C-alpha cells in the first residue's frame, strides 16, 4: 500500500487488522519484521517549507534524500549530520528518504562534532498504531511543547508511528575543508591520535582510522572545515601537535569529499561477502574490543569512525560477533535473512529498559501494527 496523504495513511492504519512492514525507500532493511503487508511512505513526498534564512526545512517523510540535499545545496546549505548511504554496503536499491533517515537516526562521520540526526530534528508529524495523527515539536529552533516525542521517534525504526513530516535544522556549507592523513599507525596509536585531535581546540569534524585503508595500509584521517583562513591555521597547529608523525594534508575539495564518503558509506566493506556489525563503545576501549574479537572470531575488515566511538567490523557469515558483557551496543547491519532471524539484530536491552521500551511501544501501538518484532 502507498498512501498519498496523511489522512489516507491514518485511515489505512486505523482500519487494518493485520500488521505492516513500514518501508521508505527500501535501502535500510536491517531489522526483521514478522509483518507480511508492506506500507510504503513514498507517496508522502515533497518539501513543504524551506526558509534558508531561518536555517529550517520541512519535508514529507517520503521525500528522497537526494531531493532535499539538492535543494539545500542550491542555497549553500546542508544536513550537517552527514547521513550515510546504505545501498553500497547492503546491496540494496531504491532511493533513501528523509523519513528513513530520521526513523533510523542515520548519522555520519560529522556526528562526532556536529551531533546526530536527532539533534537537528525540530518537529515531527506521524500516525500511530491506532491510526491517530500526532504532531510534536515545531518548525523553529526554539520550541517547548510538552513531551519530547521528537527525540523518541528518531531511531524508533517505525515501531512507534509512521512518520509523515519532519522539520529539520540545516547549516551552511563551510567555505573549505582539509584532511590530515597519517600513515602506518597501529590501532591503539591511531585511537590516541584521534582522541588528542578531538579534544584539541581545533574543531576537528571527522576522525577515522582504517587498519587497511584505500591502499591496504593503515590510514588515519582527521577533517577540518570552515573559513579558509581558519582551516589553514588549524591545520598547521594540528601538524605541529603531531610533529612526531608523518602527516600529509589534502585540500582538494573533491578528494577530501571522496575520502569522507569512503568512511561514511563504509566502502571498504562494499561488495564483500561477510556479515557487517556496527559497535558503539567508549573510544578508549575500541582497540581492545577489536583485539578480543580478532582473538575469538574470523574478523576480516575493520573501520573506526567517531574517533573510535563507532566501529564497523566484517566477519565470516553467520558469526555471532556480540561479546558477553559488552559495555556498549552492537547492531547486526548486514547478514542473510536466516542469520538475522537467528541472532538479535539490535543490542539486547537490560530487563528494566526492555520493560520500559515495551511499555512505550504498547502506548503508541497497542495493537502491534507497526513493524512487529523488528526491535526484538
Amino acid at each position: 500500500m502507498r498512501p498519498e496523504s496523511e489522512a489516507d495513511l491514518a485511515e489505512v492504519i486505523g482500519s487494518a487488522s493485520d500488521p505492516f512492514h513500514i518501508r521508505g525507500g527500501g535501502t535500510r532493511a536491517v531489522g526483521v519484521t514478522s509483518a507480511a503487508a508492506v506500507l510504503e511512505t513514498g507517496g508522502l513526498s515533497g518539501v513543504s517549507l524551506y526558509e534558508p534564512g531561518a536555517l529550517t526545512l520541512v519535508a514529507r517523510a517520503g521525500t528522497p534524500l537526494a531531493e532535499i540535499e539538492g535543494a539545500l545545496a542550491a542555497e549553500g546549505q546542508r544536513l550537517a549530520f552527514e547521513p550515510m548511504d546504505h545501498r553500497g554496503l547492503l546491496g540494496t536499491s531504491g532511493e533513501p528518504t528523509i523519513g528513513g533517515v530520521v526513523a533510523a537516526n542515520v548519522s555520519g562521520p560529522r556526528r562526532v562534532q556536529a551531533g546526530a540526526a536527532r539533534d537537528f530534528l525540530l518537529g515531527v508529524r506521524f500516525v500511530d498504531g491506532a491510526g491517530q495523527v500526532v504532531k510534536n515539536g515545531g518548525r523553529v529552533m526554539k520550541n517547548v511543547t510538552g513531551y519530547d516525542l521528537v527525540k523518541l521517534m528518531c531511531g524508533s525504526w517505525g515501531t512507534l508511528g509512521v512518520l509523515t513530516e519532519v522539520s529539520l535544522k540545516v547549516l551552511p556549507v563551510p567555505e573549505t575543508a582539509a584532511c590530515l592523513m597519517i600513515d602506518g599507525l597501529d590501532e591503539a596509536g591511531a585511537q590516541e591520535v584521534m582522541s588528542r585531535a578531538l579534544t584539541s581546540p581545533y574543531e576537528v569534524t571527522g576522525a577515522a582510522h582504517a587498519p587497511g585503508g584505500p591502499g591496504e595500509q593503515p590510514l588515519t584521517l582527521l577533517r577540518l572545515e570552515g573559513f579558509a583562513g581558519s582551516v589553514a591555521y588549524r591545520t598547521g597547529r594540528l601538524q605541529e601537535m603531531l610533529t612526531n608523525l608523518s602527516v600529509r594534508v589534502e585540500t582538494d575539495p573533491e578528494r577530501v569529499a571522496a575520502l569522507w564518503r569512503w568512511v561514511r558509506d563504509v566502502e571498504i566493506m562494499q561488495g564483500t561477502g561477510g556479515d557487517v556489525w556496527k559497535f558503539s563503545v567508549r573510544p578508549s576501549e575500541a582497540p581492545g574490543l577489536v583485539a578480543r574479537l580478532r582473538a575469538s572470531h574470523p574478523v576480516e575488515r575493520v573501520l573506526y569512525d567517531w574517533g573510535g566511538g563507532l566501529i564497523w567490523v566484517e566477519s565470516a557469515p553467520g558469526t555471532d560477533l556480540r561479546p558477553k558483557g559488552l559495555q556498549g551496543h552492537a547492531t547486526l547491519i548486514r547478514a542473510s535473512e536466516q542469520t538475522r532471524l537467528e541472532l538479535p539484530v539490535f543490542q539486547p536491552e537490560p530487563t528494566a529498559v526492555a520493560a520500559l521500551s515495551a511499555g512505550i511501544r504498547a502506548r503508541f501501538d497497542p495493537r502491534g501494527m507497526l513493524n512487529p518484532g523488528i526491535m526484538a
Side-chain angles (χ1 to χ4, degrees), residues 100-124:
V101 167
V102 170
N105 191 29
V106 179
S107 312
R110 202 175 290 111
R111 176 177 180 170
V112 75
Q113 185 263 348
R118 64 166 44 96
D119 298 309
F120 289 84
L121 192 60
L122 302 174
V124 293

